[in-house]
Amino acid sequence: MKGLYCKVGETAAEAKFVIQETNVPSALGSNQVKVQVKACALSPLDLKLHEDLKFQKDLVPVGREIVGIVLQVGPKVTFFQPDDEVVGILPLDTAMSGLCDTVIINENHLVQKPEKLRWVEVAGAIRDGLRAYTALHTLARMASGNTLLVLDGASPFGVLAIQLAHSHGVKVLASALSSEDQKFLEQLRPSVARVIGVWDAKVDLVDSCLEETGGLGVDIVIDSGVRLHEEEPEARCLLPYKHDIITLLGVGGHWVTTEQNLQLDPPDSRSLFLKAASLSFLNEEVWGASSARQGRYLHIMKDIVEKLSTGTLRPQLEDPVPLYDATVSMEMVQKNQVRKRLVIQL
């Protein structure tokens, strides 16, 4: 059986993706489930996180967002039975690639998939949906009437964050990194209150947000990375400068960042203090860090699947690719040439 793995180099740039033969254990643990994989989503691999948590291996499994059919269950499994359709996220320390024909996973990492949902739709939305819930509910405590700014709103994560916020009565602003992204966001329904085309040098992010909120600033900001200095490489030129985010944040606001290396200078901290604003780091992997969080983790995934089935969440997905294209596709995802790829098992 074949799976996709990352062959780790001395630096992240030297990482290579390879199709590798692998074996599935024949015996199941008490609470384990064997799943026949029907579709798998490819998202960027955080090798630094693996290193920090001492999970570093010569071959790191790739493809953790899976959907499939239960083939066999362990003796103490209570949530599932054979032939159930399920969706879940393989744990960070898994030894198996989600692109294998079958995987073994603990039942506490799976939820039921409604029959009417397509395989690729659920696989493509489960992790970004989890990130959106973590950012908006757990960290930002969003409430009806809030104003939210989603940076890079056309990304798979950004789209689900926008839709989730709309379903809770939140006014949404979004930035677009290209003219194509801007056109896409302007056609999105429910509509975004304002699309800010940061790709256009004439458009100022701070001025646009303050104008839209009558000078009060936004209640919640979710970024997709931050420029730590005024001058940075061209690849990061469309990211907002950290001081700009603090400026457009309203009193009592919440800034949820994906920037792992964020550093705030004393004047930045002072500005946050004067606004009584908060800063949170978005890392959806924390749900697997403690067994005390399993119940809430499963509740979130069940709610994501329910909102997908009712059409509240509608992921924007590209056409899936077969397994033999997975290596090239994952290289493109890791280099940020594409945002996400879906692989189907033929």
Side-chain angles (χ1 to χ4, degrees):
M1 183 168 54
K2 296 180 179 180
L4 182 64
Y5 293 82
C6 176
K7 193 172 184 179
V8 180
E10 291 186 5
T11 65
E14 296 176 358
K16 302 294 182 184
F17 296 96
V18 295
I19 299 293
Q20 190 85 6
E21 288 288 342
T22 186
N23 296 317
V24 176
S26 56
L28 293 182
S30 297
N31 295 100
Q32 289 183 324
V33 177
K34 180 182 284 188
V35 177
Q36 179 186 10
V37 179
K38 290 295 185 179
C40 176
L42 301 178
S43 299
L45 189 63
D46 190 343
L47 294 173
K48 184 64 169 63
L49 182 59
H50 280 77
E51 182 181 347
D52 290 342
L53 297 176
K54 311 302 181 184
F55 291 158
Q56 195 76 353
K57 310 169 187 175
D58 291 336
L59 291 174
V60 178
V62 174
R64 295 170 48 216
E65 302 135 76
I66 63 165
V67 60
I69 300 173
V70 174
L71 298 178
Q72 185 182 351
V73 299
K76 293 186 178 180
V77 171
T78 57
F79 296 159
F80 308 104
Q81 57 188 5
D83 297 327
D84 283 349
E85 296 182 352
V86 294
V87 58
I89 303 174
L90 293 171
L92 192 63
D93 61 348
T94 183
M96 305 191 65
S97 164
L99 276 77
C100 294
D101 292 336
T102 59
V103 298
I104 292 178
I105 181 174
N106 189 288
E107 65 174 332
N108 291 312
H109 295 284
L110 295 170
V111 294
Q112 297 275 2
K113 181 192 82 69
E115 291 184 4
K116 68 177 184 178
L117 288 178
R118 296 182 299 129
W119 301 114
V120 294
E121 185 179 6
V122 187
I126 189 67
R127 184 173 180 179
D128 288 318
L130 176 65
R131 296 189 82 213
Y133 261 79
T134 305
L136 292 173
H137 284 292
T138 308
L139 300 178
R141 308 288 185 181
M142 73 171 173
S144 177
N146 284 164
T147 301
L148 164 70
L149 170 63
V150 180
L151 295 161
D152 191 11
S155 66
F157 164 61
V159 169
L160 293 187
I162 290 170
Q163 294 170 350
L164 181 62
H166 271 304
S167 70
H168 286 74
V170 172
K171 178 181 178 180
V172 182
L173 317 178
S175 74
L177 304 187
S178 67
S179 58
E180 293 78 12
D181 285 355
Q182 180 159 353
K183 183 177 180 181
F184 166 76
L185 289 170
E186 288 173 346
Q187 295 173 345
L188 200 62
R189 295 293 180 270
S191 61
V192 176
R194 182 163 184 167
V195 180
I196 305 166
V198 295
W199 57 272
D200 186 346
K202 299 177 182 177
V203 174
D204 186 275
L205 178 67
V206 175
D207 290 346
S208 298
C209 291
L210 294 179
E211 179 183 346
E212 190 65 34
T213 59
L216 299 177
V218 301
D219 299 300
I220 304 169
V221 177
I222 304 176
D223 69 44
S224 58
V226 178
R227 278 189 295 130
L228 304 180
H229 311 285
E230 289 283 8
E231 300 296 331
E232 290 209 16
E234 184 178 354
R236 296 174 61 87
C237 67
L238 294 180
L239 295 178
Y241 182 45
K242 58 183 179 179
H243 182 71
D244 291 343
I245 294 182
I246 295 173
T247 302
L248 61 83
L249 197 62
V251 171
H254 301 273
W255 174 11
V256 181
T257 184
T258 61
E259 183 59 56
Q260 299 180 20
N261 300 314
L262 181 66
Q263 295 178 337
L264 295 181
D265 299 321
D268 297 325
S269 297
R270 179 66 179 174
S271 295
L272 288 172
F273 169 77
L274 292 174
K275 293 184 177 187
S278 64
L279 169 65
S280 301
F281 290 86
L282 177 56
N283 175 16
E284 71 277 10
E285 301 295 353
V286 297
W287 293 110
S290 170
S291 58
R293 297 285 182 175
Q294 284 181 346
R296 183 162 176 78
Y297 177 52
L298 290 175
H299 172 77
I300 291 172
M301 289 206 294
K302 287 177 182 178
D303 204 31
I304 293 166
V305 171
E306 181 180 338
K307 282 181 165 56
L308 286 169
S309 65
T310 60
T312 301
L313 298 179
R314 301 176 309 284
Q316 306 297 316
L317 306 173
E318 296 185 11
D319 292 334
V321 300
L323 179 60
Y324 58 78
D325 279 341
T327 303
V328 174
S329 295
M330 186 61 205
E331 288 176 353
M332 296 172 68
V333 170
Q334 193 70 9
K335 294 177 181 177
N336 294 319
Q337 295 172 347
V338 296
R339 284 166 166 155
K340 184 183 281 284
R341 274 284 193 266
L342 289 159
V343 179
I344 56 172
Q345 297 284 12
L346 299 177

